[in-house]
Amino acid sequence: MERLWGLLHRTQRLSPRPSQTIYKRVEGTQQWRLEEEEEDGEEGAEPPIHFCPMELRGPDLGSRAGKQNLGLWAATARRAAPYLVLTTLLIFTGAFLLGYVAFRGSCQTCGDDVLVVSEDINYEPGPDSHQGTLYWSDLQAMFLRFLGEGHLEDTIRQISLRKRVAGSAGMAALAQDIRVALLGQKLDHVWMDTHYVGLQFPDPAHPNTLHWVEAAGKLGEPLQLEDHDVYCPYSATGNATGELVYAHYGRPEDLQDLRARGVEPAGRLLLVRLGEISFAQKVASAQDFGARGVLIYPDSADFSQDPHKLGLSSHRAVYGHVHLGTGDPYTPGFPSFNQTQFPPVQSSGLPNIPAQPISADIASLLLRKLQGPVAPQEWQGHLPVSPYRLGPGPGLHLGVNNHRVSTPISNIFGCIEGRSEPDHYVVIGAQRDAWGPGAAKSAVGTAILLELVRTFSSMVSNGFRPRRSLLFISWDGGDFGSVGSTEWLEGYLSVLHLKAVVYVSLDNAVLGDDKFQAKTSPLLISLIENILKQVDSPNHSGQTLYEQVMFNNHSWDAEVIQPLPMDSSAYSFTAFAGVPAVEFSFMEDGQAYPFLHTKDDTYENLHRVLRGRLPAVAQAVAQLAGQLLIRLSHDHLLPLDFGRYGDVVLKHIGSLNEFSGDLKARGLTLQWVYSARGDYIRAAEKLRKEIYSSEESDERLMRMYNVRIMRVEFYFLSQYVSPADSPFRHIFLGHGDHTLDALLDHVRLLRSHGSGDPRAASSGVAPGLGFQESRFRRQLALLTWTLQGAANALSGDVWNIDNNF
């Protein structure tokens, strides 16, 4: 470089300079003005320091001196040219590589290779901040510092001591206390909304009853229900009489197996164990197989057998609603702001048969009376009855006298407005109500929610301002089937599917400490994996949560990731509203938390189950949820892995391929589904490449990409069924004939002989019907065009869509 500069300097001295173009600083302005100035400087004189020559001129060929120096000029230029070219190439290459590396580090949705959070991702502070640029590491450190100042354990204890059944005076008082707490934080908006919903409660004057039935058909001796106020909300009311049959967990396959062993469930009362599926699914399956009523009990075989661990008392019954759905079942598909606005209809998920929880002691008495074949080995439990028999047994009479009450419930909201995309909401919520003490059910989640509000409020005071709005919500009516959250979704569905980015649920967050589980939309799996690598394990010192789950299973997602079940509070957000959602849980290894939905779900019992680690586990959940919120609310590009659904479709198609020969024999084909999946994968890859080659600093372009990404989940809601008739329209998670599971169950009937496939009832297919070609064609069309519509929407503008389908 020194040699090059010397050559240029020598050339400049040899060439005459009658005039030159310069930039001159003009007083009073911040710009440089281009001016022409004539100079008669002598050869060899240095230019003034404030003049900057803008071009390299050759000699004036019209002058004699120019002609004499032409040869020397040409030789010098030829010698300097390679150095100029080399220097230019080096500068260009260095700038290109620097820009390339910076872009790859900032692109969060460009594929697995660039999904890792970069320390170079910067975050602009709020307008009232005096700090400089905040990086991911700065925000992470700030969040953890303020989170560490809270008192989670005390809040959990205080909330669990308060009576807070939905609609009660205690719940109203707690709602006002939480509203006041939110008003005391640095939030932009705090408000409440009230819904008038139909809830079902036991009638103290006419408690539910269970009697033996004598041979002559008269009511005999009563069986004393030890927990009189434990009941199944939304059970059918009235009386049911029939012989008793033991039906394991009450799943469709259990009832089919029962029938195959010569014990008919139709016309009888079923005794089923707690677990595997929800109360509502148990009762729905029993109804589909013709049973007259259901008794649900907890078997000690489904809980920990460790004598050093706590167990549920044998005289405790377990509470659970039996509405196969969510929200107010008396205003299905409509918000319950004012019931008089809507016709008096009921949800199709309400059962037509009565159901009642009973204790293990009562179940033991009933099992001893059963006759008939011995139950399979895997059906045997740990009650003091050996062996369990299938029945039938003596007659029983069940009387259910629950009554419906119009009840006001209130949701509480707090919002931190985003600075760049305030109309896009990242939502986090927790159930507030509980039938009993509800320490694990709702006190933990509510305490973590309040702690996150306080933490993010402190961050805002110290310069943090998210790109997207953060919405914190305390739900009411959760124990009756996510009533508060579903009514809110129904009331604002036309807005939320355009504005809600993700929902994070804090319900059932701490049920143990042995293993971690995430029930989630596929869109969030990659982000969850990334966050797990940055949160310390609460019970394995020196390990992250990711290292903890990988210790026993190298396929981390097989160990951690589960689909959203209907009894999850996050289910309605995805299956009904098309918003990706996640619910986290720390759980006991292999066994359920024994006190959930009982009077024994107290702070003391939860603390003892976790052996004193409740504060550490709750803190880990708060860290996980908080860092997830930061990424979702503040990354320039939403970190949602829209390509994941291609793998989900492929997995289901793999199951359908087994029946391609049977369909071909009938002149039918699944080619439409294959083609739609191919279009979706190509659209996802095309969008990925567009993002990869774009500029992150282009706010308009980033917003366009974010809109397409955040609506991917919504694309999988079938547009061809009514939300009022089929509220859960999601083709992968929903319930009804439009779903992929329903199509698969229907296709299985091609090889089924007799009463049909036992899994059919779980997806909305009535048992006992064979394969129907017309119904298959309709199912295939609904599924294919929903999937094709998702591919088209992901492609962007209509002129970018491949229409050769």
Side-chain angles (χ1 to χ4, degrees), residues 107-111 114-115 637-642 688 691 709:
C107 181
Q108 305 302 311
T109 319
C110 300
V114 291
L115 191 63
L637 194 70
L638 282 172
L640 301 180
D641 191 355
F642 48 83
R688 196 186 303 276
I691 294 171
I709 292 170

Side-chain angles (χ1 to χ4, degrees), residues 616-674:
V617 179
Q619 184 84 352
V621 174
Q623 289 184 24
L624 183 67
Q627 294 188 52
L628 198 72
L629 292 182
I630 294 174
R631 289 291 310 279
L632 288 166
S633 67
H634 221 86
D635 277 12
H636 281 70
L637 194 70
L638 282 172
L640 301 180
D641 191 355
F642 48 83
R644 281 273 183 171
Y645 265 115
D647 299 332
V648 174
V649 179
L650 181 61
K651 178 182 176 181
H652 284 83
I653 286 180
S655 301
L656 288 170
N657 280 338
E658 179 185 347
F659 303 94
S660 57
D662 302 84
L663 292 170
K664 188 175 182 180
R666 290 173 173 256
L668 302 171
T669 179
L670 294 168
Q671 184 58 44
W672 285 6
V673 178
Y674 303 153

Side-chain angles (χ1 to χ4, degrees), residues 11 83 237 351 359 391 406 431 469 484 502 557 653:
T11 302
Y83 294 98
T237 57
S359 67
S406 182
Q431 173 184 329
S469 297
V502 165
D557 52 345
I653 286 180

